[in-house]
């Protein structure tokens, strides 16, 4: 999924019965510093996975495309 978003940043997401066009981008350093602890609080296993992967896991921000 991440590699697909790198190749084509425009995607479509479905939330319940609604569809939204979005643009994906990698979180900035500042955004990641804020979001990573929140993600670890929800999914503690990410910390171990990131260590095993020996790389920083990307955080993708999805923003709605303007209509």
């Amino acid at each position: 999924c991440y590699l697909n978003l790198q190749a084509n940043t425009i995607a479509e997401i479905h939330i319940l019965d609604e569809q939204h066009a979005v643009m994906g981008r990698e979180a900035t350093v500042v955004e990641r510093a804020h979001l990573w602890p929140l993600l670890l609080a929800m999914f503690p296993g990410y910390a171990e996975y990131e260590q095993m992967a020996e790389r920083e896991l990307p955080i993708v921000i999805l923003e709605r495309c303007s209509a």
Side-chain angles (χ1 to χ4, degrees):
C1 221
Y2 176 68
L3 295 178
N4 290 341
L5 275 175
Q6 282 186 311
N8 183 8
T9 59
I10 303 297
E12 187 175 276
I13 61 170
H14 300 258
I15 302 173
L16 300 175
D17 60 345
E18 295 181 1
Q19 295 176 229
H20 303 280
V22 295
M23 179 175 283
R25 63 174 178 81
E26 193 166 339
T28 66
V29 173
V30 172
E31 288 170 327
R32 189 178 199 290
H34 172 74
L35 293 171
W36 187 246
L38 299 175
L39 289 170
L40 289 181
M42 292 186 291
F43 308 103
Y46 279 4
E48 184 179 343
Y49 180 71
E50 186 174 62
Q51 276 188 324
M52 289 184 341
E54 297 181 345
R55 64 181 173 87
E56 184 176 274
L57 298 179
I59 296 176
V60 175
I61 307 291
L62 298 177
E63 299 173 324
R64 273 192 182 184
C65 294
S66 52

